[in-house]
Amino acid sequence: MKSAITLVLLALAGVLHAQMPEALVNAERAKILQGVKSVPKAGSPGPIGIWGTMAFPILSAPDKDGVEIAVAAAAGYAKGRVILFGHNSYLAGGEGGDHAKLMENCVRWVANKDKPRVGLKGVNAVNLYRQHEFNAETFDKIDAKSLASYDVVIVNMQGIISTEEGSAVAEFVKGGGGFIGGMTGWAFGQTSGGKDLTVSHGLNQALMPAGIAITDMSAFDRLPSFEARTELPQMMNASEAISAIKKQRDGGSALTAEQMKQGTNAIQIAMAAQPPDRSNLKTAVLAALGNAGADAELPTAQAPLTAEKHAAQRLRLGMETRVLRLAAGEGVAAHPAHETFPGKVPADAPRITGEIKVTPSIPGWTSTGLYAAAGDTITVTLPEKLADKGYAVRIGCHSDTLYHLDKWQRAPDITRSVGLATATTKTASAFGGLIYIEVPARAKDDAPFTTVIQNAVPAPLFVLGQDDDAKWAEIKKRPAPWAELACDKLILSCPTEVARAINNPTQLMEFWKKVVEAQDDITNQTAERKRPERIVADVQISAGYMHSGYPIMIPTSAAPEMTTFGKLKFPGWGFYHEIGHNHQRGDFTFDGTVEVTNNVIGMYCYDAVLKKDWLIGHTSITEEARKEHIQKIMKASNKWQVWKSEPFTALTTYIQLVQEFGWESWRKYLHSFADDTFGPAPKGDDERRDQFLIRYSKITNKNLGPFFDAWGIPVSSAAKAEVSKLDPWMPKGM
């Protein structure tokens, strides 16, 4: 007797985007989740892309915006069935909770029988499956002969699986076999020697017709477990979302904000799984969106697209950017939004061929001094032996995505990174941008090489030690709309119009070099540095006024400040603050100090680099402000709660230490974590606070226990006892 899902498969064969009825989806999911209440999160899993007619999520969790993301999904494929997990650890069933029960149900569901023959490859769990009365054994080779011995195969997909092996599994499933697979998609580049998941994983590609796939995305950062729910949003299926969007466009029911957010997220995840040459899903998205017309509203800083007033325009633009990120290497048209940001290349700008030296021992983005005009196809050539080794070409430095924001001042996603899977790669960007060669960290032992980039626009690039101020006078005339200034410790990316106002690039970049070197030095990270920091100006960033990371992001309004250095004017607090974030380490940063210890590191730049009063950088650290912080903590009934919730109050504590004991005490404290005489590094916040007291007390030869008590910083009695024989110290005014 045929199952309900098999009957629906036969009935819907050939019907474009027809989805299983919601009641049937819930019924099938209930079978898989029978007796399952909760499944622990395994490792660091990623989401599964879902778009097939007979595909649906199994386990899911909401992100911070309430959007459901699936860590496991199921699908019918011809006569067989498939289940995929976003982490290979799920296949062994040993994470606790109801995990083992879930895997038992998964086997029965994909087999469509109670006692199937089960073959395991790369999964050490034969005994687990035998306990459930399955005839289970391991097998080594993925081919038709081996697969024919089983009703169900469970495969760890983490390694490289060839196209031939993938085809064998696909034929096995189509003939009625059951398949359960799992892998950590975001880690595939690491475990495969730098290969691209969408291009190089034969099994993931072979199962694409089932409409589910592993992605290289990550999610579920702070989630402890997945709750089993038989009812999940239908819009988790990208094809369902595409169909709903098309119906709305054609005059059907309007989608709610929650449905729109869920649907666009499902499409984004499904699109992330698509190989570059697989266009059916991308075509369906574009068809659903329809023709925008010449009068389509586009975001600008002056007239942003808001979630409240421009829902339809945002949906279209959001889908367009997701499609364009995955568009084919050639034939990508310029998107009209590029003209406002990142900007239009002058009509008379020449196209040139550049030879770029790449040093693999320096990971990250290698600047090229070249720009890809929006819609222009560029050609990148690198040595054959380095193809598909993790190198990539990046177009655009504005890597922040804005999908989650209620206001867009530019298109939400405007950069592209394309793996150099072959010796010659042709690619294009609808928005244009500065061109980079991305070097993976694993390539550190590769010899330096030259890559050739054709059909690019020259962009201003000043390199300290290679160029001088006189040469810059010519370099800054290059026509690309974005420019860079570089030294071996920091690279600045800013609009060319801002760069052209710079007359002293040597002095400017010598200053920035000293800033990073000062922070490296005082935090004992000089030997750790493998690449320059980067600061990129953007009309809109993903969070905050500025934020740290690679790159550090700032608003374009701050670009003139970033590129100004002289006796009277110089970059201010925010820049040292964000670079300081990149220098923070867990050993000396505990709860309440994430926005504090970076400021201590930043203040050091005023003293060591600017040679100025290190307390002039911010209005919240003036003498008057510090007195107010002290008075507030002295009056507080819960001093610790005030201290850890008010960064500038907490910063006053550190300022008092540096004022009394000098910057050398702070240096010795940060360096002490590499000194075995101070004992092992702390584990957890309790030990971090204890070690702050113990190490600083020993360095200053003072008992700082009473000082910590005065500020309300909790430390253990054992820590206080360890420094109790030293003379106590308390600053004036406390």
Side-chain angles (χ1 to χ4, degrees):
M1 181 176 178
K2 290 183 172 67
S3 69
I5 192 170
T6 302
L7 290 171
V8 171
L9 268 169
L10 295 172
L12 296 180
V15 180
L16 183 62
H17 297 315
Q19 299 296 295
M20 286 196 300
E22 185 173 9
L24 180 55
V25 171
N26 292 342
E28 294 299 325
R29 187 160 43 232
K31 295 176 185 177
I32 300 172
L33 297 177
Q34 185 177 6
V36 178
K37 293 183 178 180
S38 177
V39 178
K41 184 180 76 170
S44 299
I48 302 296
I50 308 170
W51 68 92
T53 298
M54 306 303 299
F56 57 91
I58 300 171
L59 281 180
S60 172
D63 68 5
K64 60 182 178 59
D65 296 320
V67 174
E68 293 284 345
I69 301 174
V71 74
Y77 182 24
K79 297 179 181 179
R81 298 178 177 184
V82 177
I83 288 178
L84 294 181
F85 287 91
H87 198 287
N88 45 320
S89 293
Y90 281 109
L91 307 178
E95 297 297 320
D98 298 320
H99 187 192
K101 177 61 176 175
L102 172 67
M103 298 313 298
E104 175 191 356
N105 294 349
C106 286
V107 170
R108 296 191 196 283
W109 188 85
V110 296
N112 203 18
K113 60 172 65 174
D114 286 336
K115 295 184 178 181
R117 298 165 298 165
V118 179
L120 295 91
K121 187 176 189 305
V123 181
N124 185 19
V126 169
N127 290 337
L128 170 76
Y129 290 102
R130 286 178 177 172
Q131 288 171 9
H132 296 294
E133 300 183 0
F134 301 141
N135 181 10
E137 63 182 28
T138 60
F139 70 102
D140 296 322
K141 191 174 182 180
I142 300 178
D143 58 19
K145 183 178 179 181
S146 298
L147 297 175
S149 302
Y150 309 108
D151 300 303
V152 175
V153 292
I154 303 174
V155 177
N156 180 351
M157 298 168 61
Q158 197 65 49
I160 298 173
I161 300 179
S162 69
T163 301
E164 293 74 20
E165 291 173 315
S167 296
V169 171
E171 291 302 315
F172 167 73
V173 175
K174 286 160 66 177
F179 177 82
I180 302 173
M183 68 181 292
T184 314
W186 59 261
F188 179 72
Q190 303 169 28
T191 60
S192 66
K195 295 185 181 296
D196 188 320
L197 176 63
T198 64
V199 174
S200 302
H201 200 288
L203 180 50
N204 204 38
Q205 287 208 36
L207 294 175
M208 285 274 163
I212 57 174
I214 306 289
T215 72
D216 62 2
M217 302 172 73
S218 59
F220 319 113
D221 288 344
R222 299 180 181 179
L223 186 77
S225 62
F226 294 89
E227 302 306 311
R229 291 169 290 160
T230 57
E231 295 187 9
L232 292 172
Q234 283 282 85
M235 296 282 274
M236 290 180 70
N237 183 301
S239 290
E240 181 78 17
I242 292 168
S243 179
I245 291 167
K246 185 177 185 302
K247 288 177 182 177
Q248 176 178 271
R249 193 203 76 199
D250 293 340
S253 301
L255 298 175
T256 66
E258 290 73 18
Q259 288 174 322
M260 191 75 75
K261 192 178 291 186
Q262 181 67 65
T264 54
N265 183 75
I267 294 170
Q268 179 186 12
I269 295 173
M271 296 281 285
Q274 308 302 306
D277 58 352
R278 196 173 194 272
S279 60
N280 55 341
L281 190 64
K282 290 176 277 187
T283 301
V285 173
L286 291 175
L289 293 172
N291 188 358
D295 59 346
E297 289 189 66
L298 299 172
T300 66
Q302 296 73 32
L305 296 184
T306 65
E308 182 180 357
K309 296 181 179 180
H310 306 96
Q313 295 93 324
R314 282 166 58 97
L315 172 63
R316 178 178 182 84
L317 182 57
M319 288 301 96
E320 285 175 346
T321 56
R322 287 169 173 134
V323 170
L324 289 167
R325 176 182 275 270
L326 294 161
E330 301 178 70
V332 175
H335 193 286
H338 90 275
E339 295 190 17
T340 55
F341 197 86
K344 191 175 182 180
V345 169
D348 60 351
R351 272 44 170 188
I352 65 171
T353 295
E355 294 187 359
I356 309 302
K357 183 179 179 181
V358 178
T359 305
S361 60
I362 304 175
W365 305 355
T366 297
S367 295
T368 66
L370 298 171
Y371 193 94
D376 274 10
T377 296
I378 62 169
T379 302
V380 183
T381 305
L382 81 168
E384 183 78 42
K385 65 181 180 180
L386 297 177
D388 206 16
K389 296 295 184 183
Y391 293 93
V393 57
R394 162 172 286 277
I395 300 177
C397 57
H398 303 100
S399 54
D400 273 13
T401 57
L402 314 180
Y403 295 110
H404 63 291
L405 299 180
D406 291 333
K407 180 176 69 175
W408 293 350
Q409 297 179 45
R410 63 159 170 84
D413 189 357
I414 61 174
T415 66
R416 287 195 78 190
S417 178
V418 178
L420 299 175
T422 56
T424 299
T425 300
K426 292 181 181 292
T427 190
S429 164
F431 297 94
L434 289 167
I435 302 171
Y436 305 89
I437 299 299
E438 293 186 280
V439 178
R442 74 183 72 86
K444 63 183 184 299
D445 296 326
D446 289 350
F449 63 91
T450 297
T451 185
V452 177
I453 301 175
Q454 297 171 268
N455 199 37
V457 177
L461 172 61
F462 175 88
V463 180
L464 184 66
Q466 176 180 308
D467 304 312
D468 56 26
D469 291 1
K471 195 173 178 182
W472 171 246
E474 293 302 316
I475 292 173
K476 67 183 181 181
K477 295 178 183 177
R478 295 173 184 170
W482 282 80
E484 292 194 317
L485 297 99
C487 65
D488 62 336
K489 299 298 189 295
L490 183 80
I491 300 172
L492 310 177
S493 304
C494 64
T496 296
E497 62 185 69
V498 173
R500 286 176 180 154
I502 301 168
N503 295 316
N504 60 339
T506 299
Q507 184 186 31
L508 174 69
M509 296 316 297
E510 285 177 344
F511 159 74
W512 280 118
K513 177 180 173 71
K514 291 175 183 176
V515 166
V516 177
E517 287 177 341
Q519 294 203 13
D520 283 353
D521 174 56
I522 201 161
T523 59
N524 197 27
Q525 293 175 44
T526 299
E528 289 184 28
R529 181 157 301 284
K530 299 296 187 293
R531 66 185 181 189
E533 302 285 348
R534 282 185 174 273
I535 305 179
V536 172
D538 194 334
V539 70
Q540 185 179 17
I541 66 176
S542 60
Y545 175 67
M546 298 179 178
H547 71 69
S548 58
Y550 185 85
I552 293 167
M553 299 298 298
I554 69 167
T556 48
S557 59
E561 179 186 354
M562 175 178 71
T563 55
T564 300
F565 180 74
K567 291 183 179 180
L568 299 179
K569 292 185 177 181
F570 45 83
W573 179 274
F575 297 95
Y576 319 122
H577 171 101
E578 301 302 346
I579 298 172
H581 269 309
N582 284 0
H583 282 82
Q584 281 177 312
R585 297 293 183 268
D587 289 342
F588 58 84
T589 301
F590 48 85
D591 183 28
T593 64
V594 172
E595 295 296 334
V596 180
T597 57
N598 63 314
N599 282 333
V600 185
I601 298 166
M603 287 189 302
Y604 177 64
C605 296
Y606 284 86
D607 181 76
V609 182
L610 291 167
K611 307 297 183 185
K612 295 181 180 293
D613 179 354
W614 52 275
L615 294 172
I616 66 170
H618 202 286
T619 56
S620 294
I621 60 171
T622 62
E623 183 176 1
E624 182 178 333
R626 298 196 310 273
K627 287 180 179 178
E628 291 177 0
H629 300 152
I630 293 169
Q631 289 300 314
K632 187 169 188 176
I633 208 75
M634 291 175 70
K635 294 177 181 178
S637 57
N638 187 337
K639 293 182 179 182
W640 172 233
Q641 183 59 40
V642 172
W643 193 93
K644 70 178 182 177
S645 61
E646 298 186 7
F648 284 104
T649 297
L651 184 58
T652 302
T653 301
Y654 291 84
I655 289 172
Q656 289 179 320
L657 290 171
V658 175
Q659 282 181 313
E660 179 69 20
F661 303 109
W663 281 109
E664 190 59 24
S665 67
W666 177 245
R667 177 197 304 279
K668 287 181 178 178
Y669 169 59
L670 298 188
H671 282 238
S672 73
F673 296 101
D675 186 345
D676 292 341
T677 62
F678 283 91
K683 297 178 181 178
D685 276 3
D686 290 346
E687 287 190 17
R688 291 185 183 105
R689 292 192 302 271
D690 279 0
Q691 288 298 308
F692 182 24
L693 169 64
I694 294 168
R695 290 169 188 258
Y696 227 106
S697 293
K698 290 181 177 180
I699 288 166
T700 60
N701 202 32
K702 296 291 182 181
N703 176 5
L704 300 179
F707 175 64
F708 274 49
D709 286 341
W711 279 105
I713 304 171
V715 290
S716 68
S717 55
K720 290 179 180 179
E722 190 167 338
V723 299
S724 61
K725 293 183 179 180
L726 300 173
D727 292 336
W729 171 80
M730 189 72 71
K732 294 178 181 179
M734 294 191 73

